[in-house]
Amino acid sequence: VCSTWGNNHFKTFDGDMYQFPGICEYNLVSDCRDSFKEFSVHIQRALNSNNHPQIQYILLTIKDFTVYLRPKLVVVDGRIVKTPFYSSGILIESNDIYTKVYAKLGLILIWNQEDALMVELDNKFNNHTCGLCGDYNGVPIYNEFINGDISYNSITYGNLQKIHKPKAKCEDPDETQALPSCNEHRDECERLLTSSAFVDCRLRLNLEMYIQACMQDKCACHGKEDSFCLCSTISEYSRQCSHAGGRPGEWRTPSFC
């Protein structure tokens, strides 16, 4: 599974977690074999009215079939379709909360129509992918952030995945920006992610990665009690726990998320 959520977080198929704040169109994951590419998934983010990053659209190409997704809108090969939609090995379902695409070639895409997108890929694509999701070779860091003698930071790596479009108006994020150290938020993030609701999740996921992401979120919001900053990484932790076969308990309350 590869996913992206919240404050520009990405988790690759191989388990690396990083932040990349680009607002161009990027290759999230594609089949990158030279001979025949079976699929590609492109995404573009933008800041919404609250200044939070949201996924504006997703462009999924499967063989010569294109699916363009926006919140509450599904366009297949240039025409708006109603869901559930089924054609040539692709099923698209949507409700008020999620849009899901199941492709027979071994891809499932789940989008919450806001900030969070998860792509699950059959292991026949091991070592065949490229994009923000990495190469799916089972080895973290190598070939994504370390390539031979060259090492990339996450911003450089992200900028390399840009889809070059002649009329695009978007600046590349600055590659020299270092992420702040956010250790003052560690206790709060640890407390939230180890609450009793997540007892069934602790052994299924790398908890430390989500604590780090939560700390970055708190930093980015400068300590404001903003639900986006607090809730998006906890939501992702809960989704990934369910996906790994866990059963997260009820962690949302009327006053929290």
Side-chain angles (χ1 to χ4, degrees):
V1 178
C2 166
S3 56
T4 178
W5 74 94
N7 190 22
N8 305 303
H9 296 290
F10 290 85
K11 181 175 157 292
T12 69
F13 290 118
D14 298 331
D16 287 309
M17 208 181 267
Y18 65 96
Q19 266 182 302
F20 174 66
I23 51 165
C24 303
E25 183 179 305
Y26 300 95
N27 173 20
L28 178 70
V29 52
S30 300
D31 177 6
C32 289
R33 289 173 285 191
D34 291 338
S35 49
F36 179 68
K37 297 179 174 36
E38 290 204 41
F39 73 91
S40 69
V41 182
H42 294 177
I43 63 169
Q44 177 150 12
R45 272 197 167 84
L47 294 174
N48 68 9
S49 53
N50 298 329
N51 237 12
H52 296 319
Q54 296 275 349
I55 296 171
Q56 253 194 318
Y57 66 80
I58 298 165
L59 184 61
L60 168 67
T61 310
I62 292 188
K63 298 182 173 148
D64 39 18
F65 199 76
T66 62
V67 178
Y68 174 76
L69 304 174
R70 285 187 92 100
K72 316 248 182 291
L73 178 71
V74 177
V75 179
V76 175
D77 283 344
R79 84 202 155 82
I80 295 176
V81 299
K82 281 196 164 63
T83 57
F85 172 87
Y86 183 78
S87 174
S88 49
I90 297 175
L91 169 65
I92 306 171
E93 297 178 340
S94 65
N95 58 27
D96 289 345
I97 306 171
Y98 283 101
T99 299
K100 301 182 183 184
V101 181
Y102 302 88
K104 206 163 70 182
L105 60 76
L107 176 148
I108 299 172
L109 182 149
I110 303 174
W111 178 34
N112 70 351
Q113 301 182 21
E114 292 176 5
D115 64 301
L117 170 64
M118 190 191 301
V119 177
E120 187 180 340
L121 206 54
D122 191 282
N123 58 14
K124 72 179 181 193
F125 293 108
N126 279 140
N127 228 348
H128 292 326
T129 66
C130 60
L132 293 165
C133 285
D135 67 351
Y136 195 9
N137 68 350
V139 185
I141 300 180
Y142 283 93
N143 296 358
E144 286 88 24
F145 303 102
I146 297 175
N147 204 332
D149 300 332
I150 311 166
S151 67
Y152 297 122
N153 70 22
S154 61
I155 310 280
T156 310
Y157 179 70
N159 286 337
L160 288 169
Q161 316 308 323
K162 182 161 105 172
I163 306 296
H164 291 281
K165 296 163 80 180
K167 292 194 181 119
K169 292 186 178 64
C170 61
E171 293 288 311
D172 288 345
D174 177 0
E175 298 180 7
T176 59
Q177 268 181 321
L179 286 172
S181 146
C182 299
N183 282 334
E184 72 269 26
H185 300 299
R186 181 168 193 99
D187 290 351
E188 182 185 7
C189 286
E190 207 164 292
R191 181 175 55 74
L192 290 168
L193 289 161
T194 57
S195 76
S196 56
F198 296 126
V199 154
D200 199 21
C201 306
R202 205 167 307 174
L203 297 174
R204 298 173 192 274
L205 300 173
N206 179 334
L207 174 65
E208 179 60 27
M209 282 185 167
Y210 293 94
I211 291 174
Q212 292 290 337
C214 166
M215 283 157 55
Q216 294 291 353
D217 293 349
K218 289 291 289 177
C219 254
C221 285
H222 310 297
K224 289 204 297 284
E225 287 304 311
D226 178 318
S227 69
F228 181 82
C229 310
L230 264 178
C231 305
S232 57
T233 290
I234 302 173
S235 304
E236 177 67 10
Y237 186 67
S238 181
R239 280 189 291 267
Q240 293 289 348
C241 173
S242 303
H243 188 270
R247 294 195 162 183
E250 193 48 72
W251 59 275
R252 296 176 187 272
T253 68
S255 59
F256 182 74
C257 298

